[in-house]
Amino acid sequence: MSKAQTKAELREEAGQNPVFGYLQKLGQTFMLPISILPLAGILLGIGSSFTNPTVIEMYNLQGILNESTFLYGFLSVLADAGDVIFGNLGLLFGISVAFGMAKREQGTAALSAIIGYFVMYATLTSTVNNFRDVEALSQVQGLISNYLGFENTMNLGVLGGIVLGVTVSYLHNKYYNIELPEALSFFGGTHFIPIAASLAAIAIGIIMAFVWPLISYAFSSLGGIISGLGVLGIFLYAYIYRSLIPLGLHHVFYLPFWQTAIGGTAVINGQTVVGAQNIVFAQLAAGQPIDPHAAAHFAYMFPVMLFGIPAACAALYRQAKPERQADVKGFYTSSALTCFATGITEPIEFAFVFASPTLYYGLHCVMYGISAVLVYLFGAGVVLTFSGGVIDFFLFGILPGNPITHWIPVLLLGLVYAVLYYLIFTWGVQKFDWKVPGREDDVAVAETAFAGGDYDDLTEKEQRAYRIVSALGGTENLDSFTNCATRLRVQVKDGKLVDEGLLKTTGSAATVVNGSNVQVVYGTKVPNVKSSIDELISDGKAPANAQASSDQVVPNQVSEEDQAETTKTSDDDGQLVEVFAPGQGNIKALADVEDDVFSAGIMGQGFALEPSQGQILAPMAGEVKMVMDSKHAIGLETAEGLEILLHMGIDTVQLEGQGFTVHVAEGDQVEVGDVLADMDLNYIKDQGKITDVIVVFTNSSEKVNQTLIEAQKDVNGHDKIGDVNLK
């Protein structure tokens, strides 16, 4: 079975499929407004839970929670503060899409989106009231409403914001540097964008006054079709949602269900509410039992995320090869705890996809679909803001009470899922030998031998290069190859000839095959690997075709230096070493980096910086060990022996040094905060590259117990951001 495509591969493919690439980038822009939903949900959940009459009466809190008390007033403020976020998601999405899709001058794009959004609604409202039959339109439930101070208008919801944001970003990217005749020059450049956005918003508002009722009918019909499918529709929703996560397109799929009539329509306290997420939070605020059909879009996650995935991690750890259990213990433990606490599943799920597509799509996604059907049949109404972790389960399941959310069946199903996941994953690994972390083929000896005296006459370095070329199908199968800071990037004629097991014997950490595109991860030693291959081919010693194996076994020789390294004991066991920000911006978890080799931890533990300015600083003191010719990566080694890779941008090796200025050379000693390089962020973004600065401790397995670095944090250069706990 062919491998599932990773996000990194899909980004490369997006260059040949512009529609897919555009949709993927569009989905990424949704994350900014989505990131505020957990906080908004907590405010709304806590505030509304303790101010609705049902909860007050249920817990006999009338003495401290009535309209005359300070606490009641304060909780009402929290509820209103959370509600304003959910009530204006369309505006937030419009701003975020325009900002995120703009290639440069993003501030102008965001401001233009705000202006355009209000102009669009003013036009829409005026058109409806002057040219449409408001009374007739009001017969369609939820179509005519009041919004943003406009009366008798139509709430276009998140989709309206996305349409406006996409339009503004297109106009911005095309005209932000437009030159007008001298008499009109003041209105040129970025000054032209709000004007263009307003004109476009007028057109959108007029069109939507006639098109949106038709769209509403279509949404209602689609919702009816899904409802008509009963449990099958619920199963398909959960399965498709989960299956799209590796593609990065799940946001495009689920948002219409959460925020439009596709997810349902309900009348709550006399107000019409559309969208599954809006319905369930309105019901929570009103103290009404949650509608199981609306909650079916959320409740199914909890049995899997709170119980199933942690149990699967335990099973996979137990089934790891004994000699690998110590290596993968941290990975499985952190993956389980992260999923349980926050509902973030990407670390373990991307390991599933990478190791076994059958495991992910044939089992894991199916279990999500079954969970969705069961929680719906049980009448469960536990909801969430963004993730399905224990925090949301407590706030929106346990806290409002079982009569409102029916959280007890979800808990009981979760216990069953824990047992099922543990047993099924244990059986699956034993039966099908899934190559999940800890179960990879043994690389202590090579699986392939090479007969003939020519191979025996090669040096050890040449033999490794020989096996790499053979594993790639031989020189007859090679079209081209180069390298970035951590991996070989190879174009082959037939990807089916690539032997991943053999590549592991040459020291590769992982191999990614996507048709004719191959990436082989070697870490910071990859320049030497490529040089040895170049020399072998130029000397005429490389195999023309993949070599057949024989009974001979080629040992994976370990040098005396490596042997000493693996057996020595550190005198600094448990030592904490400070880590400082490599620049100004926002610290990201490594799992959030949009490169599967880094995010999956293949290169080691670490973190990333989403830079807001281009000066890159040394996060720790040490010696410069490597500077890539392409200038996008620098290697350091600290006095404690910690090896650090600073990888500036994603896929930026293709820029061939353009956009980077390096201020250090190999052998230089640097202190914390010394300037290592400058990135031209605008240029790099203009080339379609992501500017994240990835910091990885490449010898994590030998030196690092744990990285203690707080993600989602804005920092300045020289700020301490955490510690590394060394072995």
Side-chain angles (χ1 to χ4, degrees):
M1 180 175 289
S2 62
K3 286 185 176 293
Q5 291 175 297
T6 64
K7 289 194 294 185
E9 296 165 344
L10 289 170
R11 282 197 307 275
E12 293 180 4
E13 184 180 286
Q16 301 175 351
N17 187 344
V19 174
F20 184 90
Y22 187 87
L23 288 176
Q24 188 179 37
K25 186 175 181 181
L26 179 63
Q28 293 167 1
T29 67
F30 296 166
M31 294 308 298
L32 184 59
I34 285 175
S35 66
I36 193 61
L37 295 185
L39 174 61
I42 289 173
L43 295 174
L44 180 61
I46 293 177
S48 61
S49 293
F50 288 105
T51 55
N52 77 70
T54 302
V55 173
I56 294 173
E57 182 177 354
M58 184 184 306
Y59 295 104
N60 297 316
L61 300 175
Q62 294 87 345
I64 60 173
L65 288 176
N66 61 72
E67 295 185 3
S68 64
T69 64
F70 171 82
L71 181 57
Y72 183 94
F74 178 72
L75 291 171
S76 298
V77 170
L78 296 185
D80 291 340
D83 183 62
V84 74
I85 300 298
F86 287 98
N88 294 283
L89 278 179
L91 173 60
L92 299 180
F93 271 81
I95 298 170
S96 183
V97 169
F99 181 90
M101 300 295 286
K103 295 179 179 179
R104 58 195 322 166
E105 300 289 349
Q106 288 94 337
T108 300
L111 177 61
S112 300
I114 297 172
I115 296 171
Y117 194 81
F118 281 95
V119 171
M120 177 181 70
Y121 266 97
T123 304
L124 171 65
T125 305
S126 183
T127 303
V128 167
N129 285 276
N130 284 289
F131 296 100
R132 300 303 308 271
D133 187 339
V134 177
E135 184 176 349
L137 293 175
S138 299
Q139 301 304 310
V140 181
Q141 191 177 46
L143 180 58
I144 298 298
S145 62
N146 300 329
Y147 178 65
L148 279 180
F150 296 101
E151 296 184 359
N152 290 331
T153 190
M154 294 185 290
N155 189 341
L156 305 180
V158 169
L159 291 180
I162 293 173
V163 169
L164 188 280
V166 167
T167 303
V168 171
S169 66
Y170 170 80
L171 295 171
H172 177 85
N173 291 332
K174 188 170 184 178
Y175 297 115
Y176 75 90
N177 57 357
I178 188 174
E179 295 184 6
L180 298 177
E182 185 174 351
L184 301 174
S185 60
F186 174 80
F187 301 103
T190 56
H191 290 183
F192 180 75
I193 305 307
I195 300 172
S198 297
L199 295 175
I202 293 173
I204 294 173
I206 294 173
I207 292 171
M208 284 298 185
F210 295 92
V211 172
W212 191 252
L214 301 177
I215 295 176
S216 297
Y217 290 134
F219 280 0
S220 298
S221 299
L222 181 57
I225 292 173
I226 293 175
S227 299
L229 292 176
V231 295
L232 176 60
I234 293 172
F235 175 87
L236 290 175
Y237 167 81
Y239 182 90
I240 295 171
Y241 178 6
R242 215 68 209 169
S243 67
L244 289 177
I245 282 184
L247 306 179
L249 296 176
H250 53 297
H251 303 301
V252 177
F253 174 73
Y254 75 72
L255 272 173
F257 288 90
W258 287 22
Q259 297 297 328
T260 74
I262 290 180
T265 302
V267 178
I268 302 169
N269 288 343
Q271 297 292 321
T272 300
V273 182
V274 297
Q277 191 174 53
N278 299 322
I279 289 172
V280 294
F281 277 108
Q283 289 174 328
L284 270 179
Q288 298 178 5
I290 303 302
D291 175 15
H293 187 271
H297 299 89
F298 317 98
Y300 71 93
M301 297 186 191
F302 292 104
V304 184
M305 294 181 176
L306 295 183
F307 300 95
I309 289 179
C313 290
L316 296 178
Y317 169 71
R318 291 290 301 274
Q319 293 303 313
K321 296 179 180 181
E323 66 272 17
R324 294 293 319 282
Q325 284 189 335
D327 296 334
V328 298
K329 182 178 181 180
F331 169 74
Y332 283 123
T333 301
S334 62
S335 296
L337 291 176
T338 299
C339 183
F340 179 81
T342 68
I344 295 174
T345 60
E346 278 77 1
I348 188 67
E349 285 185 327
F350 282 129
F352 291 169
V353 171
F354 186 80
S356 173
T358 302
L359 169 60
Y360 188 86
Y361 291 101
L363 174 61
H364 184 56
C365 293
V366 171
M367 293 295 284
Y368 266 106
I370 294 173
S371 175
V373 171
L374 292 177
V375 296
Y376 171 69
L377 294 177
F378 292 154
V382 184
V383 302
L384 52 84
T385 54
F386 176 64
S387 65
V390 70
I391 298 174
D392 273 2
F393 187 71
F394 177 77
L395 286 175
F396 308 117
I398 298 175
L399 193 60
N402 192 63
I404 292 178
T405 64
H406 291 89
W407 63 269
I408 292 179
V410 178
L411 179 64
L412 296 177
L413 178 62
L415 296 175
V416 174
Y417 256 56
V419 175
L420 287 176
Y421 259 74
Y422 186 87
L423 294 177
I424 292 174
F425 274 58
T426 299
W427 170 81
V429 169
Q430 294 175 349
K431 176 72 174 178
F432 302 107
D433 193 24
W434 288 327
K435 300 302 181 184
V436 293
R439 294 282 301 182
E440 302 92 343
D441 291 329
D442 188 2
V443 296
V445 295
E447 295 292 340
T448 306
F450 303 91
D454 290 343
Y455 178 82
D456 294 336
D457 291 339
L458 299 177
T459 66
E460 181 180 346
K461 184 173 74 170
E462 290 173 332
Q463 286 182 347
R464 181 181 66 175
Y466 190 100
R467 298 202 302 275
I468 293 172
V469 174
S470 178
L472 293 171
T475 56
E476 293 292 331
N477 195 43
L478 293 179
D479 277 337
S480 64
F481 68 95
T482 183
N483 69 283
C484 65
T486 60
R487 64 199 96 165
L488 285 177
R489 294 177 178 268
V490 188
Q491 287 280 335
V492 297
K493 297 174 182 176
D494 187 356
K496 296 178 182 178
L497 298 180
V498 176
D499 186 341
E500 298 180 37
L502 178 55
L503 287 169
K504 277 188 175 292
T505 72
T506 66
S508 76
T511 302
V512 179
V513 181
N514 178 28
S516 62
N517 298 303
V518 182
Q519 297 183 52
V520 191
V521 181
Y522 284 102
T524 53
K525 64 183 179 183
V526 71
N528 293 332
V529 172
K530 180 180 180 295
S531 296
S532 66
I533 297 173
D534 284 332
E535 293 173 7
L536 190 79
I537 293 176
S538 63
D539 291 344
K541 299 178 181 180
N545 305 104
Q547 302 295 289
S549 62
S550 72
D551 294 333
Q552 180 185 2
V553 175
V554 180
N556 183 24
Q557 300 183 14
V558 180
S559 68
E560 293 181 4
E561 180 181 351
D562 292 338
Q563 178 115 17
E565 178 66 24
T566 59
T567 56
K568 74 178 182 178
T569 304
S570 173
D571 296 330
D572 296 326
D573 233 9
Q575 177 185 3
L576 287 179
V577 180
E578 293 180 325
V579 182
F580 295 83
Q584 180 176 315
N586 182 263
I587 298 297
K588 300 172 61 174
L590 199 60
D592 294 332
V593 171
E594 295 191 20
D595 184 301
D596 288 82
V597 170
F598 288 115
S599 65
I602 293 174
M603 292 304 305
Q605 300 181 42
F607 62 94
L609 173 77
E610 186 175 354
S612 57
Q613 57 90 22
Q615 194 173 70
I616 306 304
L617 312 177
M620 304 174 76
E623 181 181 353
V624 178
K625 288 293 188 179
M626 180 270 293
V627 177
M628 284 288 296
D629 293 339
S630 53
K631 303 179 183 179
H632 77 292
I634 298 173
L636 306 176
E637 183 175 356
T638 70
E640 297 83 9
L642 190 62
E643 296 173 0
I644 307 169
L645 171 67
L646 285 92
H647 193 285
M648 294 174 281
I650 296 176
D651 291 337
T652 45
V653 65
Q654 301 168 2
L655 302 182
E656 299 181 342
Q658 296 296 315
F660 300 93
T661 303
V662 177
H663 302 293
V664 293
E666 292 182 16
D668 287 354
Q669 294 289 331
V670 296
E671 299 297 328
V672 171
D674 284 354
V675 178
L676 301 179
D678 284 296
M679 301 173 63
D680 186 341
L681 300 181
N682 289 332
Y683 174 82
I684 295 169
K685 291 176 182 177
D686 284 346
Q687 305 309 305
K689 306 300 181 184
I690 296 173
T691 58
D692 289 356
V693 178
I694 303 160
V695 180
V696 179
F697 307 113
T698 56
N699 59 344
S700 294
S701 59
E702 294 90 9
K703 299 294 295 185
V704 179
N705 283 320
Q706 188 178 14
T707 55
L708 306 170
I709 295 171
E710 181 182 357
Q712 302 304 321
K713 176 181 180 182
D714 291 325
V715 296
N716 295 309
H718 308 283
D719 286 353
K720 179 184 175 182
I721 60 173
D723 302 277
V724 177
N725 179 242
L726 301 182
K727 294 181 179 179

